[in-house]
Amino acid sequence: MDFEADPPKTLTTRSKCSACFKQYKKKEHLVAHMKASHHSVHQPKCGWCAKHCKTYESLREHLTGPLSKAHCSRVFADLGCRLCMKIFDSSASLSEHKEMCQLTAPAPLGTVKISCTEYQVDMPAPNYGNYRNYGRGPEAIAIDCEMVGGGSDGTLDLCGRVCLIDEDENLIFHTYVQPQIPVTNYRYEVTGITEEHLRDAMPIKEARERILQILYNGESIGRLRLDGGKARLLVGHGLEHDLGCLRMNYPDHLLRDTAKYRPFMKTNLVSHSLKYLTQTYLGYDIQSGVHDPFVDCVSAMRLYKRMRAQDHHFEEFEASISAQHTQYFNSNSFDSWKPKELESMNPDELFQISKSKYKCWCLDLRQELQV
């Protein structure tokens, strides 16, 4: 019996994402992927294979997880820094880098009751003020509050202590705070705060005014809401919680929250604790006993500065973009393109026009250098 020969198999050309290396049978599926993924040069990237990941946790899984990429994992084991996730060209370079990347925990303020410490501001000194004159303030300020409990069951968060530092980790404002309602739980095991600390503490309204004066830096409210002007960036972990307890508002575009910064979040975009971020990316432990607001401020500021200092190559794929697409270099989204135009692009060109869904903190330094 004669059998007909099977028809020759045709090779299917797959479209491969230039960022995460996923492959698709149809170009339109790659385009849909790029629209949804928001890939950009600002995402955490493997220093060996150049794969882009949504978060540093995803990158860590790629390099050290149970399903890690074998070759990348071997290289990282020999030449990778487990804090910043960079890969170096030699053991000597890695050893030199680790001396700078591995940080030591700052000395805590403790819970000794001290007078309020604050920037010199253009107003009469209050009765509870020791002032230090720093001249023009820094670009960013870190804040942390310690909460005591109010209400019948002590679960209502009330600000009992607040601390601010500058970029050089100088203490610029610190005071215990008298809440507007009675404290029913001092949460001493965590806060270290007692009734004595709050007996003659600064009223919360006064503390809020002092903090806003520092942050506004002489800028008008209108300019503050528009582009910030000379106002300071506010750094912290869980800033919404701290600002809420202080009953204070500050523009979202001036907030730098380590709890909500996408590269620091879990793969499912849930926040990590400051304790975890500090141990994982700075290399020391915090909050093992009483939480110290100065230590938490310094840790949040160090995390912010480490992310701000990243060197991202914005024009990485510019050379591969064909001349016919030059008019779209500054496009903010895929919506500016027609479907046929997108499907005619190669993966590198699609990556070039893809934009982050978040503002990378490296842009703060870039903007500062341009001023």
Side-chain angles (χ1 to χ4, degrees):
M1 185 179 293
D2 294 331
F3 292 94
E4 293 184 5
D6 292 334
K9 294 181 179 180
T10 56
L11 296 176
T12 302
T13 302
R14 290 178 173 268
S15 298
K16 183 179 180 180
C17 175
S18 294
C20 68
F21 306 155
K22 288 183 179 179
Q23 297 187 38
Y24 298 88
K25 290 183 179 180
K26 296 183 179 181
K27 191 63 169 293
E28 61 191 79
H29 295 164
L30 173 61
V31 171
H33 162 75
M34 295 301 293
K35 286 182 177 181
S37 62
H38 298 279
H39 285 311
S40 81
V41 295
H42 299 290
Q43 288 181 315
K45 183 175 69 172
C46 175
W48 186 254
C49 72
K51 177 183 179 180
H52 289 70
C53 301
K54 287 184 178 181
T55 66
Y56 277 101
E57 185 173 85
S58 298
L59 177 58
R60 198 175 296 275
E61 290 174 357
H62 168 75
L63 292 170
T64 65
L67 299 178
S68 59
K69 186 81 171 182
H71 192 57
C72 297
S73 180
R74 287 195 298 269
V75 174
F76 183 76
D78 294 333
L79 299 172
C81 174
R82 291 185 173 272
L83 294 178
C84 66
M85 310 302 291
K86 292 180 181 178
I87 294 177
F88 294 83
D89 55 4
S90 68
S91 297
S93 297
L94 175 60
S95 297
E96 182 179 350
H97 164 80
K98 283 184 175 179
E99 292 181 2
M100 298 182 294
C101 198
Q102 173 78 48
L103 302 179
T104 57
L109 288 179
T111 56
V112 177
K113 189 173 182 180
I114 60 176
S115 300
C116 168
T117 304
E118 187 177 352
Y119 263 119
Q120 178 66 49
V121 290
D122 296 328
M123 63 179 295
N127 294 331
Y128 19 44
N130 290 331
Y131 288 83
R132 299 172 65 185
N133 189 359
Y134 283 81
R136 181 175 178 176
E139 180 67 16
I141 298 291
I143 189 172
D144 184 71
C145 298
E146 293 302 324
M147 311 298 177
V148 292
S152 58
D153 57 358
T155 59
L156 180 64
D157 287 338
L158 306 173
C159 181
R161 188 182 184 189
V162 61
C163 176
L164 276 72
I165 66 162
D166 64 20
E167 289 187 16
D168 296 321
E169 303 178 10
N170 295 307
L171 179 66
I172 57 176
F173 182 84
H174 170 262
T175 188
Y176 289 93
V177 177
Q178 181 61 255
Q180 290 182 314
I181 64 174
V183 177
T184 54
N185 184 357
Y186 288 91
R187 304 174 184 174
Y188 177 77
E189 295 78 8
V190 174
T191 67
I193 296 176
T194 65
E195 182 180 359
E196 176 63 24
H197 288 113
L198 303 187
R199 181 164 294 149
D200 299 313
M202 180 181 287
I204 189 170
K205 182 179 179 180
E206 182 81 18
R208 179 171 60 246
E209 290 175 355
R210 302 290 180 185
I211 293 169
L212 288 174
Q213 285 180 328
I214 294 170
L215 295 177
Y216 278 34
N217 196 22
E219 202 59 88
S220 66
I221 294 180
R223 182 68 180 274
L224 187 78
R225 292 173 178 170
L226 179 63
D227 60 8
K230 294 184 295 182
R232 280 112 182 189
L233 300 176
L234 184 59
V235 177
H237 188 84
L239 285 172
E240 183 178 357
H241 190 206
D242 287 340
L243 294 177
C245 289
L246 287 166
R247 300 186 180 181
M248 190 176 93
N249 295 314
Y250 205 60
D252 288 344
H253 65 279
L254 296 177
L255 302 181
R256 301 294 181 265
D257 194 337
T258 56
K260 292 186 176 181
Y261 191 53
R262 280 179 174 258
F264 278 150
M265 299 178 83
K266 298 179 183 179
T267 305
N268 60 359
L269 298 182
V270 173
S271 300
H272 278 295
S273 66
L274 181 61
K275 179 182 178 69
Y276 172 86
L277 294 178
T278 300
Q279 199 280 329
T280 304
Y281 299 105
L282 301 178
Y284 61 88
D285 293 319
I286 63 171
Q287 300 177 350
S288 55
V290 172
H291 293 197
D292 189 282
F294 176 73
V295 172
D296 290 355
C297 275
V298 170
S299 299
M301 180 63 80
R302 288 176 177 179
L303 289 167
Y304 165 71
K305 289 172 67 176
R306 181 155 287 184
M307 293 296 101
R308 187 183 66 178
Q310 293 179 110
D311 183 17
H312 292 143
H313 300 287
F314 299 91
E315 309 295 335
E316 189 170 353
F317 291 100
E318 182 176 353
S320 68
I321 304 297
S322 54
Q324 61 185 354
H325 295 144
T326 338
Q327 57 183 320
Y328 297 109
F329 276 171
N330 297 321
S331 174
N332 290 326
S333 70
F334 287 92
D335 295 336
S336 303
W337 302 75
K338 296 178 180 178
K340 289 185 177 180
E341 291 175 328
L342 291 171
E343 291 180 22
S344 69
M345 295 183 187
N346 63 46
D348 285 354
E349 291 172 328
L350 289 171
F351 179 76
Q352 176 66 29
I353 64 171
S354 182
K355 306 297 180 184
S356 297
K357 204 171 184 179
Y358 62 92
K359 179 182 177 181
C360 181
W361 289 346
C362 81
L363 298 174
D364 291 341
L365 185 58
R366 186 179 175 91
Q367 180 179 353
E368 182 180 315
L369 294 174
Q370 291 174 342
V371 174

PDB file of all heavy atoms in Angstrom, residues 339-369:
ATOM      1  N   PRO A 339      -1.581  50.428  14.203  1.00  0.00           N
ATOM      2  CA  PRO A 339      -1.234  49.009  14.358  1.00  0.00           C
ATOM      3  C   PRO A 339      -0.265  48.499  13.298  1.00  0.00           C
ATOM      4  O   PRO A 339       0.674  47.765  13.608  1.00  0.00           O
ATOM      5  CB  PRO A 339      -2.595  48.312  14.256  1.00  0.00           C
ATOM      6  CG  PRO A 339      -3.568  49.336  14.750  1.00  0.00           C
ATOM      7  CD  PRO A 339      -3.042  50.647  14.272  1.00  0.00           C
ATOM      8  N   LYS A 340      -0.457  48.877  12.056  1.00  0.00           N
ATOM      9  CA  LYS A 340       0.430  48.402  10.994  1.00  0.00           C
ATOM     10  C   LYS A 340       1.843  48.944  11.171  1.00  0.00           C
ATOM     11  O   LYS A 340       2.831  48.269  10.845  1.00  0.00           O
ATOM     12  CB  LYS A 340      -0.130  48.793   9.629  1.00  0.00           C
ATOM     13  CG  LYS A 340      -1.373  48.008   9.227  1.00  0.00           C
ATOM     14  CD  LYS A 340      -1.813  48.338   7.813  1.00  0.00           C
ATOM     15  CE  LYS A 340      -3.022  47.494   7.393  1.00  0.00           C
ATOM     16  NZ  LYS A 340      -3.467  47.822   6.005  1.00  0.00           N
ATOM     17  N   GLU A 341       1.953  50.169  11.672  1.00  0.00           N
ATOM     18  CA  GLU A 341       3.283  50.755  11.898  1.00  0.00           C
ATOM     19  C   GLU A 341       4.014  50.004  13.003  1.00  0.00           C
ATOM     20  O   GLU A 341       5.214  49.735  12.897  1.00  0.00           O
ATOM     21  CB  GLU A 341       3.139  52.238  12.269  1.00  0.00           C
ATOM     22  CG  GLU A 341       2.652  53.110  11.140  1.00  0.00           C
ATOM     23  CD  GLU A 341       2.395  54.542  11.572  1.00  0.00           C
ATOM     24  OE1 GLU A 341       2.004  54.749  12.748  1.00  0.00           O
ATOM     25  OE2 GLU A 341       2.581  55.452  10.757  1.00  0.00           O
ATOM     26  N   LEU A 342       3.280  49.644  14.053  1.00  0.00           N
ATOM     27  CA  LEU A 342       3.899  48.901  15.151  1.00  0.00           C
ATOM     28  C   LEU A 342       4.348  47.517  14.701  1.00  0.00           C
ATOM     29  O   LEU A 342       5.429  47.056  15.054  1.00  0.00           O
ATOM     30  CB  LEU A 342       2.912  48.774  16.320  1.00  0.00           C
ATOM     31  CG  LEU A 342       2.579  50.077  17.066  1.00  0.00           C
ATOM     32  CD1 LEU A 342       1.438  49.846  18.045  1.00  0.00           C
ATOM     33  CD2 LEU A 342       3.797  50.599  17.796  1.00  0.00           C
ATOM     34  N   GLU A 343       3.519  46.867  13.898  1.00  0.00           N
ATOM     35  CA  GLU A 343       3.864  45.521  13.445  1.00  0.00           C
ATOM     36  C   GLU A 343       5.001  45.515  12.435  1.00  0.00           C
ATOM     37  O   GLU A 343       5.630  44.480  12.210  1.00  0.00           O
ATOM     38  CB  GLU A 343       2.617  44.844  12.857  1.00  0.00           C
ATOM     39  CG  GLU A 343       1.566  44.535  13.912  1.00  0.00           C
ATOM     40  CD  GLU A 343       0.320  43.867  13.345  1.00  0.00           C
ATOM     41  OE1 GLU A 343       0.432  43.276  12.248  1.00  0.00           O
ATOM     42  OE2 GLU A 343      -0.738  43.935  13.990  1.00  0.00           O
ATOM     43  N   SER A 344       5.276  46.686  11.835  1.00  0.00           N
ATOM     44  CA  SER A 344       6.400  46.769  10.899  1.00  0.00           C
ATOM     45  C   SER A 344       7.736  46.999  11.605  1.00  0.00           C
ATOM     46  O   SER A 344       8.798  46.876  11.002  1.00  0.00           O
ATOM     47  CB  SER A 344       6.163  47.893   9.886  1.00  0.00           C
ATOM     48  OG  SER A 344       6.251  49.166  10.531  1.00  0.00           O
ATOM     49  N   MET A 345       7.680  47.330  12.900  1.00  0.00           N
ATOM     50  CA  MET A 345       8.906  47.586  13.660  1.00  0.00           C
ATOM     51  C   MET A 345       9.546  46.277  14.108  1.00  0.00           C
ATOM     52  O   MET A 345       8.874  45.278  14.349  1.00  0.00           O
ATOM     53  CB  MET A 345       8.605  48.433  14.894  1.00  0.00           C
ATOM     54  CG  MET A 345       8.116  49.825  14.616  1.00  0.00           C
ATOM     55  SD  MET A 345       7.889  50.728  16.181  1.00  0.00           S
ATOM     56  CE  MET A 345       7.113  52.217  15.585  1.00  0.00           C
ATOM     57  N   ASN A 346      10.859  46.324  14.261  1.00  0.00           N
ATOM     58  CA  ASN A 346      11.538  45.164  14.835  1.00  0.00           C
ATOM     59  C   ASN A 346      11.494  45.269  16.364  1.00  0.00           C
ATOM     60  O   ASN A 346      11.138  46.325  16.905  1.00  0.00           O
ATOM     61  CB  ASN A 346      12.970  45.046  14.307  1.00  0.00           C
ATOM     62  CG  ASN A 346      13.839  46.237  14.697  1.00  0.00           C
ATOM     63  OD1 ASN A 346      13.835  46.663  15.853  1.00  0.00           O
ATOM     64  ND2 ASN A 346      14.594  46.776  13.753  1.00  0.00           N
ATOM     65  N   PRO A 347      11.834  44.203  17.083  1.00  0.00           N
ATOM     66  CA  PRO A 347      11.723  44.219  18.551  1.00  0.00           C
ATOM     67  C   PRO A 347      12.513  45.348  19.215  1.00  0.00           C
ATOM     68  O   PRO A 347      12.056  45.917  20.217  1.00  0.00           O
ATOM     69  CB  PRO A 347      12.272  42.848  18.952  1.00  0.00           C
ATOM     70  CG  PRO A 347      11.934  41.974  17.794  1.00  0.00           C
ATOM     71  CD  PRO A 347      12.141  42.843  16.594  1.00  0.00           C
ATOM     72  N   ASP A 348      13.690  45.688  18.685  1.00  0.00           N
ATOM     73  CA  ASP A 348      14.475  46.774  19.279  1.00  0.00           C
ATOM     74  C   ASP A 348      13.764  48.107  19.146  1.00  0.00           C
ATOM     75  O   ASP A 348      13.807  48.948  20.057  1.00  0.00           O
ATOM     76  CB  ASP A 348      15.852  46.857  18.611  1.00  0.00           C
ATOM     77  CG  ASP A 348      16.782  45.751  19.061  1.00  0.00           C
ATOM     78  OD1 ASP A 348      16.394  44.998  19.980  1.00  0.00           O
ATOM     79  OD2 ASP A 348      17.884  45.633  18.509  1.00  0.00           O
ATOM     80  N   GLU A 349      13.117  48.313  18.025  1.00  0.00           N
ATOM     81  CA  GLU A 349      12.389  49.568  17.822  1.00  0.00           C
ATOM     82  C   GLU A 349      11.180  49.661  18.749  1.00  0.00           C
ATOM     83  O   GLU A 349      10.868  50.726  19.276  1.00  0.00           O
ATOM     84  CB  GLU A 349      11.964  49.668  16.356  1.00  0.00           C
ATOM     85  CG  GLU A 349      13.131  49.873  15.411  1.00  0.00           C
ATOM     86  CD  GLU A 349      12.726  49.786  13.950  1.00  0.00           C
ATOM     87  OE1 GLU A 349      11.794  49.017  13.631  1.00  0.00           O
ATOM     88  OE2 GLU A 349      13.346  50.480  13.129  1.00  0.00           O
ATOM     89  N   LEU A 350      10.513  48.549  18.954  1.00  0.00           N
ATOM     90  CA  LEU A 350       9.387  48.530  19.890  1.00  0.00           C
ATOM     91  C   LEU A 350       9.850  48.835  21.313  1.00  0.00           C
ATOM     92  O   LEU A 350       9.182  49.558  22.051  1.00  0.00           O
ATOM     93  CB  LEU A 350       8.693  47.159  19.851  1.00  0.00           C
ATOM     94  CG  LEU A 350       7.901  46.839  18.583  1.00  0.00           C
ATOM     95  CD1 LEU A 350       7.460  45.380  18.587  1.00  0.00           C
ATOM     96  CD2 LEU A 350       6.690  47.757  18.455  1.00  0.00           C
ATOM     97  N   PHE A 351      10.999  48.291  21.676  1.00  0.00           N
ATOM     98  CA  PHE A 351      11.538  48.559  23.009  1.00  0.00           C
ATOM     99  C   PHE A 351      11.899  50.038  23.161  1.00  0.00           C
ATOM    100  O   PHE A 351      11.718  50.623  24.228  1.00  0.00           O
ATOM    101  CB  PHE A 351      12.763  47.688  23.264  1.00  0.00           C
ATOM    102  CG  PHE A 351      13.394  47.914  24.607  1.00  0.00           C
ATOM    103  CD1 PHE A 351      12.822  47.396  25.754  1.00  0.00           C
ATOM    104  CD2 PHE A 351      14.552  48.661  24.732  1.00  0.00           C
ATOM    105  CE1 PHE A 351      13.380  47.609  27.000  1.00  0.00           C
ATOM    106  CE2 PHE A 351      15.124  48.880  25.970  1.00  0.00           C
ATOM    107  CZ  PHE A 351      14.542  48.354  27.106  1.00  0.00           C
ATOM    108  N   GLN A 352      12.401  50.644  22.094  1.00  0.00           N
ATOM    109  CA  GLN A 352      12.819  52.042  22.152  1.00  0.00           C
ATOM    110  C   GLN A 352      11.669  52.976  22.496  1.00  0.00           C
ATOM    111  O   GLN A 352      11.849  53.957  23.218  1.00  0.00           O
ATOM    112  CB  GLN A 352      13.440  52.452  20.816  1.00  0.00           C
ATOM    113  CG  GLN A 352      13.827  53.922  20.723  1.00  0.00           C
ATOM    114  CD  GLN A 352      14.952  54.285  21.663  1.00  0.00           C
ATOM    115  OE1 GLN A 352      15.787  53.433  21.972  1.00  0.00           O
ATOM    116  NE2 GLN A 352      14.986  55.526  22.107  1.00  0.00           N
ATOM    117  N   ILE A 353      10.476  52.695  22.000  1.00  0.00           N
ATOM    118  CA  ILE A 353       9.345  53.595  22.253  1.00  0.00           C
ATOM    119  C   ILE A 353       8.555  53.190  23.494  1.00  0.00           C
ATOM    120  O   ILE A 353       7.620  53.877  23.885  1.00  0.00           O
ATOM    121  CB  ILE A 353       8.400  53.663  21.039  1.00  0.00           C
ATOM    122  CG1 ILE A 353       7.753  52.301  20.770  1.00  0.00           C
ATOM    123  CG2 ILE A 353       9.134  54.188  19.819  1.00  0.00           C
ATOM    124  CD1 ILE A 353       6.649  52.356  19.721  1.00  0.00           C
ATOM    125  N   SER A 354       8.907  52.071  24.101  1.00  0.00           N
ATOM    126  CA  SER A 354       8.217  51.622  25.304  1.00  0.00           C
ATOM    127  C   SER A 354       8.637  52.478  26.501  1.00  0.00           C
ATOM    128  O   SER A 354       9.817  52.799  26.654  1.00  0.00           O
ATOM    129  CB  SER A 354       8.546  50.154  25.573  1.00  0.00           C
ATOM    130  OG  SER A 354       7.856  49.682  26.714  1.00  0.00           O
ATOM    131  N   LYS A 355       7.699  52.859  27.323  1.00  0.00           N
ATOM    132  CA  LYS A 355       7.966  53.748  28.457  1.00  0.00           C
ATOM    133  C   LYS A 355       7.609  53.081  29.787  1.00  0.00           C
ATOM    134  O   LYS A 355       6.682  52.279  29.861  1.00  0.00           O
ATOM    135  CB  LYS A 355       7.153  55.049  28.318  1.00  0.00           C
ATOM    136  CG  LYS A 355       7.351  55.774  27.001  1.00  0.00           C
ATOM    137  CD  LYS A 355       8.774  56.241  26.799  1.00  0.00           C
ATOM    138  CE  LYS A 355       8.931  56.958  25.468  1.00  0.00           C
ATOM    139  NZ  LYS A 355      10.329  57.342  25.201  1.00  0.00           N
ATOM    140  N   SER A 356       8.339  53.451  30.822  1.00  0.00           N
ATOM    141  CA  SER A 356       8.062  52.935  32.170  1.00  0.00           C
ATOM    142  C   SER A 356       6.698  53.386  32.654  1.00  0.00           C
ATOM    143  O   SER A 356       6.203  54.450  32.270  1.00  0.00           O
ATOM    144  CB  SER A 356       9.130  53.417  33.155  1.00  0.00           C
ATOM    145  OG  SER A 356      10.392  52.928  32.820  1.00  0.00           O
ATOM    146  N   LYS A 357       6.141  52.586  33.558  1.00  0.00           N
ATOM    147  CA  LYS A 357       4.874  52.963  34.182  1.00  0.00           C
ATOM    148  C   LYS A 357       5.129  53.769  35.455  1.00  0.00           C
ATOM    149  O   LYS A 357       4.202  54.228  36.101  1.00  0.00           O
ATOM    150  CB  LYS A 357       4.056  51.712  34.506  1.00  0.00           C
ATOM    151  CG  LYS A 357       2.555  51.949  34.606  1.00  0.00           C
ATOM    152  CD  LYS A 357       1.799  50.649  34.697  1.00  0.00           C
ATOM    153  CE  LYS A 357       0.296  50.904  34.688  1.00  0.00           C
ATOM    154  NZ  LYS A 357      -0.487  49.642  34.742  1.00  0.00           N
ATOM    155  N   TYR A 358       6.374  53.920  35.826  1.00  0.00           N
ATOM    156  CA  TYR A 358       6.745  54.674  37.014  1.00  0.00           C
ATOM    157  C   TYR A 358       7.898  55.611  36.661  1.00  0.00           C
ATOM    158  O   TYR A 358       8.578  55.408  35.647  1.00  0.00           O
ATOM    159  CB  TYR A 358       7.180  53.733  38.140  1.00  0.00           C
ATOM    160  CG  TYR A 358       8.412  52.907  37.802  1.00  0.00           C
ATOM    161  CD1 TYR A 358       9.689  53.356  38.134  1.00  0.00           C
ATOM    162  CD2 TYR A 358       8.300  51.699  37.137  1.00  0.00           C
ATOM    163  CE1 TYR A 358      10.811  52.614  37.805  1.00  0.00           C
ATOM    164  CE2 TYR A 358       9.416  50.948  36.807  1.00  0.00           C
ATOM    165  CZ  TYR A 358      10.665  51.412  37.151  1.00  0.00           C
ATOM    166  OH  TYR A 358      11.779  50.684  36.820  1.00  0.00           O
ATOM    167  N   LYS A 359       8.105  56.633  37.483  1.00  0.00           N
ATOM    168  CA  LYS A 359       9.229  57.537  37.261  1.00  0.00           C
ATOM    169  C   LYS A 359      10.458  56.974  37.956  1.00  0.00           C
ATOM    170  O   LYS A 359      10.473  56.821  39.174  1.00  0.00           O
ATOM    171  CB  LYS A 359       8.926  58.930  37.800  1.00  0.00           C
ATOM    172  CG  LYS A 359      10.097  59.887  37.602  1.00  0.00           C
ATOM    173  CD  LYS A 359       9.841  61.264  38.163  1.00  0.00           C
ATOM    174  CE  LYS A 359      11.076  62.142  37.994  1.00  0.00           C
ATOM    175  NZ  LYS A 359      10.890  63.499  38.549  1.00  0.00           N
ATOM    176  N   CYS A 360      11.476  56.677  37.169  1.00  0.00           N
ATOM    177  CA  CYS A 360      12.701  56.152  37.755  1.00  0.00           C
ATOM    178  C   CYS A 360      13.390  57.252  38.558  1.00  0.00           C
ATOM    179  O   CYS A 360      13.478  58.404  38.120  1.00  0.00           O
ATOM    180  CB  CYS A 360      13.629  55.649  36.645  1.00  0.00           C
ATOM    181  SG  CYS A 360      15.181  54.955  37.257  1.00  0.00           S
ATOM    182  N   TRP A 361      13.912  56.898  39.729  1.00  0.00           N
ATOM    183  CA  TRP A 361      14.555  57.902  40.581  1.00  0.00           C
ATOM    184  C   TRP A 361      15.869  58.412  39.998  1.00  0.00           C
ATOM    185  O   TRP A 361      16.373  59.449  40.418  1.00  0.00           O
ATOM    186  CB  TRP A 361      14.770  57.323  41.978  1.00  0.00           C
ATOM    187  CG  TRP A 361      13.468  57.177  42.720  1.00  0.00           C
ATOM    188  CD1 TRP A 361      12.272  57.734  42.390  1.00  0.00           C
ATOM    189  CD2 TRP A 361      13.232  56.431  43.917  1.00  0.00           C
ATOM    190  NE1 TRP A 361      11.300  57.381  43.297  1.00  0.00           N
ATOM    191  CE2 TRP A 361      11.859  56.586  44.251  1.00  0.00           C
ATOM    192  CE3 TRP A 361      14.045  55.645  44.740  1.00  0.00           C
ATOM    193  CZ2 TRP A 361      11.299  55.985  45.365  1.00  0.00           C
ATOM    194  CZ3 TRP A 361      13.471  55.041  45.854  1.00  0.00           C
ATOM    195  CH2 TRP A 361      12.120  55.211  46.171  1.00  0.00           C
ATOM    196  N   CYS A 362      16.432  57.718  39.025  1.00  0.00           N
ATOM    197  CA  CYS A 362      17.649  58.229  38.393  1.00  0.00           C
ATOM    198  C   CYS A 362      17.364  59.542  37.670  1.00  0.00           C
ATOM    199  O   CYS A 362      18.273  60.342  37.442  1.00  0.00           O
ATOM    200  CB  CYS A 362      18.239  57.198  37.426  1.00  0.00           C
ATOM    201  SG  CYS A 362      17.464  57.133  35.802  1.00  0.00           S
ATOM    202  N   LEU A 363      16.100  59.793  37.329  1.00  0.00           N
ATOM    203  CA  LEU A 363      15.734  61.028  36.648  1.00  0.00           C
ATOM    204  C   LEU A 363      15.858  62.229  37.574  1.00  0.00           C
ATOM    205  O   LEU A 363      15.997  63.366  37.106  1.00  0.00           O
ATOM    206  CB  LEU A 363      14.310  60.925  36.104  1.00  0.00           C
ATOM    207  CG  LEU A 363      14.082  59.832  35.055  1.00  0.00           C
ATOM    208  CD1 LEU A 363      12.608  59.736  34.694  1.00  0.00           C
ATOM    209  CD2 LEU A 363      14.924  60.085  33.815  1.00  0.00           C
ATOM    210  N   ASP A 364      15.789  62.014  38.886  1.00  0.00           N
ATOM    211  CA  ASP A 364      15.978  63.119  39.834  1.00  0.00           C
ATOM    212  C   ASP A 364      17.381  63.693  39.706  1.00  0.00           C
ATOM    213  O   ASP A 364      17.570  64.911  39.697  1.00  0.00           O
ATOM    214  CB  ASP A 364      15.756  62.643  41.276  1.00  0.00           C
ATOM    215  CG  ASP A 364      14.313  62.292  41.555  1.00  0.00           C
ATOM    216  OD1 ASP A 364      13.434  62.728  40.792  1.00  0.00           O
ATOM    217  OD2 ASP A 364      14.060  61.571  42.535  1.00  0.00           O
ATOM    218  N   LEU A 365      18.376  62.823  39.625  1.00  0.00           N
ATOM    219  CA  LEU A 365      19.751  63.267  39.491  1.00  0.00           C
ATOM    220  C   LEU A 365      19.977  63.871  38.122  1.00  0.00           C
ATOM    221  O   LEU A 365      20.680  64.880  37.986  1.00  0.00           O
ATOM    222  CB  LEU A 365      20.716  62.092  39.716  1.00  0.00           C
ATOM    223  CG  LEU A 365      22.217  62.443  39.729  1.00  0.00           C
ATOM    224  CD1 LEU A 365      22.513  63.473  40.806  1.00  0.00           C
ATOM    225  CD2 LEU A 365      23.042  61.191  39.940  1.00  0.00           C
ATOM    226  N   ARG A 366      19.404  63.292  37.106  1.00  0.00           N
ATOM    227  CA  ARG A 366      19.537  63.809  35.738  1.00  0.00           C
ATOM    228  C   ARG A 366      18.985  65.218  35.665  1.00  0.00           C
ATOM    229  O   ARG A 366      19.563  66.113  35.069  1.00  0.00           O
ATOM    230  CB  ARG A 366      18.786  62.888  34.779  1.00  0.00           C
ATOM    231  CG  ARG A 366      18.955  63.228  33.313  1.00  0.00           C
ATOM    232  CD  ARG A 366      18.167  62.221  32.481  1.00  0.00           C
ATOM    233  NE  ARG A 366      18.176  62.531  31.062  1.00  0.00           N
ATOM    234  CZ  ARG A 366      19.085  62.068  30.217  1.00  0.00           C
ATOM    235  NH1 ARG A 366      20.031  61.277  30.643  1.00  0.00           N
ATOM    236  NH2 ARG A 366      19.024  62.372  28.937  1.00  0.00           N
ATOM    237  N   GLN A 367      17.811  65.424  36.297  1.00  0.00           N
ATOM    238  CA  GLN A 367      17.198  66.748  36.308  1.00  0.00           C
ATOM    239  C   GLN A 367      18.039  67.733  37.090  1.00  0.00           C
ATOM    240  O   GLN A 367      18.208  68.888  36.704  1.00  0.00           O
ATOM    241  CB  GLN A 367      15.780  66.664  36.916  1.00  0.00           C
ATOM    242  CG  GLN A 367      15.046  67.981  36.987  1.00  0.00           C
ATOM    243  CD  GLN A 367      13.645  67.826  37.571  1.00  0.00           C
ATOM    244  OE1 GLN A 367      13.181  66.724  37.811  1.00  0.00           O
ATOM    245  NE2 GLN A 367      12.998  68.923  37.803  1.00  0.00           N
ATOM    246  N   GLU A 368      18.596  67.264  38.220  1.00  0.00           N
ATOM    247  CA  GLU A 368      19.432  68.120  39.060  1.00  0.00           C
ATOM    248  C   GLU A 368      20.674  68.580  38.318  1.00  0.00           C
ATOM    249  O   GLU A 368      21.094  69.732  38.417  1.00  0.00           O
ATOM    250  CB  GLU A 368      19.828  67.349  40.324  1.00  0.00           C
ATOM    251  CG  GLU A 368      20.667  68.129  41.307  1.00  0.00           C
ATOM    252  CD  GLU A 368      21.014  67.297  42.527  1.00  0.00           C
ATOM    253  OE1 GLU A 368      20.109  66.632  43.045  1.00  0.00           O
ATOM    254  OE2 GLU A 368      22.185  67.307  42.928  1.00  0.00           O
ATOM    255  N   LEU A 369      21.273  67.692  37.498  1.00  0.00           N
ATOM    256  CA  LEU A 369      22.477  68.028  36.765  1.00  0.00           C
ATOM    257  C   LEU A 369      22.196  69.001  35.642  1.00  0.00           C
ATOM    258  O   LEU A 369      23.086  69.740  35.212  1.00  0.00           O
ATOM    259  CB  LEU A 369      23.110  66.758  36.191  1.00  0.00           C
ATOM    260  CG  LEU A 369      23.650  65.764  37.227  1.00  0.00           C
ATOM    261  CD1 LEU A 369      24.118  64.491  36.537  1.00  0.00           C
ATOM    262  CD2 LEU A 369      24.784  66.375  38.035  1.00  0.00           C
TER     263      LEU A 369
END
